[in-house]
Amino acid sequence: MRFLTKRETVTVGLMLFALFFGAGNMIFPPALGQAAGTHYWQAILGFIVTGVGLPLLGVIAVSLGGGNLQTLAGRVHPVFGVVFTFIVYLSIGPLMAIPRTGTVTFEMGILPFLPEDLMQSQLPLFLTTIAFFAVTYWLAITPSKMVDRIGKILTPLLLAIIALMYVATLFRPIGEIGPPVGGYADSAFVKGFLEGYLTLDALAAMVFGIVVTAAVQDKGVTEPRSVMWSTIKAGMIAAVGLGLVYLSLGYMGATSYSLGQSDNGGQILTAVVKHLFGWSGSIILGAAVTLACLTTSVGLVTACSTFFSAYARGVSYRGMCAILCAFSAAVANVGLTQLIAFSVPVLIAFYPIAIVLMLLTFLHKWFKGYRSVYVVSIFLTALISLVDGAAMLGLPVEAITAVYNKLPLYSQGVGWILPALAGAVIGFLWGLIRPAPIRRIG
């Protein structure tokens, strides 16, 4: 039985960290830090619970489920397994996340350096996205080399840049930490907890868990138990990395009060690096954002190409990589705003379902693998989350939300928690009274 060596485990763990850590993850913690102020530590700990804990649980859940999201979701029903898996891949892939990596790279890594006469032109964005997705394609077409390219090269560069900014903050403090504002004044931990939940990394974890499992197998680890434990160890390394980076970036935001308040984490981070490094700070930040976007883009293209090429007859993995990169480049130029307006409600609708599915995976043996637990719990969760998504789309569901508002925690955006728990209990009791041959799943 072969396991990954310590060096291989660290490399795979760094790759997984980089896949999770996109530009959005870079700008959330500074905004939280500035808004939380003197309540920073409570807020950032809440953020880490959901912004780090849930992604780690997602990776482990996929590993426990055999490294296959469709098999995992199929525990509810085979049809649900196919539909849910497609929704996850489309949502965090070509419909939103992949195109956004190219757009954010342009806006934070290229746009600040353009002369004014080019800032209103579409040509720089077009050229940037073409170059960005060309590099993404080159890195993604050989998945077996992705661990070395990302884990040994891109991730250390990204971490070095973030460490440089953090150390500069320690030795050259920006200013005093300001007072907490909004929800951070009264319930900083809960507010931070909900902010971490909205990063939507739990969905990404269910995809990246498959990527890291494949990376482990490419290293010659093939025995299922060895693959599972190697994946879990790599996931823990990624989680530690994410937690430390969130602490660092959040602290930068917390000490930035004297630079002026802003609800935009990107603006806060830009102000911080300019204060610390002057004009060179824009270069440092641009490099960090570009690396963060690139690693995430490569991971998503790799995962989505692997999945979709298995269903598209006659389209190879490389061909699917080319299709996704070309589509993403086009969307980044002409359709990103409209697609985000549609995609975010979809994510809001299905994110709670993903969380419940992960948690049930960990408890699978405890409730004896009764399918009824999955069915009822997921069904009641979906009754809440799908309506939330419909409301964000502007559909006429006011009558339903008026009833849901009576549910505990609904006004905080997590009204699905108690229905999910009740569904698990009802499903377990139902499983106990059903004939044994038909009530359990593997």
Side-chain angles (χ1 to χ4, degrees):
M1 184 183 299
R2 165 169 155 71
F3 290 89
L4 293 181
T5 65
K6 291 182 179 180
R7 176 173 292 185
E8 289 173 334
T9 301
V10 170
T11 300
V12 174
L14 290 177
M15 178 204 71
L16 182 58
F17 161 83
L19 297 182
F20 276 121
F21 192 73
N25 305 76
M26 178 172 281
I27 64 178
F28 290 147
L32 175 147
Q34 188 180 83
T38 53
H39 291 175
Y40 161 70
W41 284 108
Q42 301 98 300
I44 198 66
L45 287 177
F47 183 89
I48 286 174
V49 169
T50 46
V52 177
L54 284 180
L56 175 60
L57 291 180
V59 171
I60 297 175
V62 172
S63 178
L64 291 175
N68 190 307
L69 173 57
Q70 185 173 328
T71 300
L72 193 64
R75 289 176 172 177
V76 181
H77 189 276
V79 175
F80 175 85
V82 174
V83 173
F84 181 75
T85 303
F86 266 90
I87 289 173
V88 169
Y89 276 94
L90 289 172
S91 298
I92 68 169
L95 292 188
M96 187 178 74
I98 298 176
R100 188 176 62 183
T101 58
T103 302
V104 173
T105 296
F106 170 75
E107 292 182 352
M108 297 188 68
I110 302 297
L111 187 61
F113 305 101
L114 293 177
E116 291 187 10
D117 59 328
L118 286 178
M119 286 188 175
Q120 303 303 319
S121 172
Q122 286 292 110
L123 182 60
L125 174 60
F126 174 76
L127 295 177
T128 299
T129 53
I130 292 299
F132 179 86
F133 286 109
V135 174
T136 296
Y137 173 77
W138 175 72
L139 291 171
I141 56 174
T142 50
S144 61
K145 297 181 180 180
M146 186 172 65
V147 174
D148 293 333
R149 288 170 174 169
I150 293 180
K152 293 183 179 179
I153 301 173
L154 297 181
T155 307
L157 285 174
L158 174 60
L159 290 174
I161 292 172
I162 295 174
L164 176 63
M165 293 190 294
Y166 179 61
V167 171
T169 305
L170 292 178
F171 284 94
R172 295 173 55 195
I174 300 171
E176 297 293 328
I177 296 177
V181 298
Y184 293 104
D186 300 321
S187 52
F189 180 86
V190 174
K191 178 67 172 175
F193 181 93
L194 293 175
E195 290 296 313
Y197 157 62
L198 293 176
T199 61
L200 304 175
D201 274 346
L203 282 184
M206 304 186 86
V207 171
F208 291 152
I210 300 170
V211 174
V212 74
T213 297
V216 169
Q217 293 171 337
D218 286 338
K219 293 291 184 181
V221 179
T222 56
E223 205 276 332
R225 185 174 180 82
S226 300
V227 172
M228 181 187 71
W229 281 110
S230 296
T231 301
I232 290 173
K233 290 177 182 177
M236 290 180 176
I237 291 174
V240 170
L242 286 171
L244 291 176
V245 169
Y246 288 154
L247 286 170
S248 302
L249 292 173
Y251 179 77
M252 293 181 206
T255 59
S256 69
Y257 181 76
S258 62
L259 300 179
Q261 288 187 295
S262 173
D263 295 329
N264 188 313
Q267 293 177 359
I268 294 172
L269 204 53
T270 298
V272 168
V273 296
K274 283 186 177 179
H275 175 82
L276 294 172
F277 303 105
W279 175 249
S280 61
S282 297
I283 299 176
I284 293 172
L285 180 60
V289 169
T290 300
L291 287 172
C293 287
L294 184 60
T295 52
T296 300
S297 177
V298 171
L300 289 173
V301 169
T302 299
C304 292
S305 297
T306 301
F307 176 75
F308 290 125
S309 62
Y311 286 89
R313 294 181 180 179
V315 180
S316 65
Y317 169 82
R318 288 195 174 202
M320 188 59 67
C321 282
I323 292 172
L324 290 179
C325 287
F327 179 83
S328 298
V331 172
N333 279 272
V334 300
L336 185 59
T337 301
Q338 292 79 5
L339 284 172
I340 287 180
F342 170 76
S343 299
V344 171
V346 173
L347 290 171
I348 294 298
F350 288 95
Y351 195 75
I353 296 174
I355 295 175
V356 173
L357 185 61
M358 286 188 296
L359 294 177
L360 291 179
T361 299
F362 286 97
L363 300 174
H364 184 80
K365 292 183 178 179
W366 290 86
F367 58 78
K368 302 179 181 180
Y370 294 160
R371 185 184 295 276
S372 55
V373 173
Y374 286 95
V375 172
V376 182
S377 185
I378 293 294
F379 175 73
L380 293 183
T381 301
L383 282 181
I384 307 298
S385 63
L386 293 179
V387 170
D388 288 341
M392 288 195 68
L393 281 173
L395 298 179
V397 293
E398 292 83 1
I400 301 176
T401 56
V403 176
Y404 285 177
N405 275 321
K406 299 177 182 179
L407 290 172
L409 305 176
Y410 186 78
S411 61
Q412 284 78 35
V414 287
W416 51 269
I417 290 179
L418 289 183
L421 179 60
V425 173
I426 294 171
F428 179 72
L429 295 176
W430 178 253
L432 287 176
I433 63 176
R434 296 187 68 193
I438 64 173
R439 66 189 179 189
R440 296 185 184 182
I441 53 177

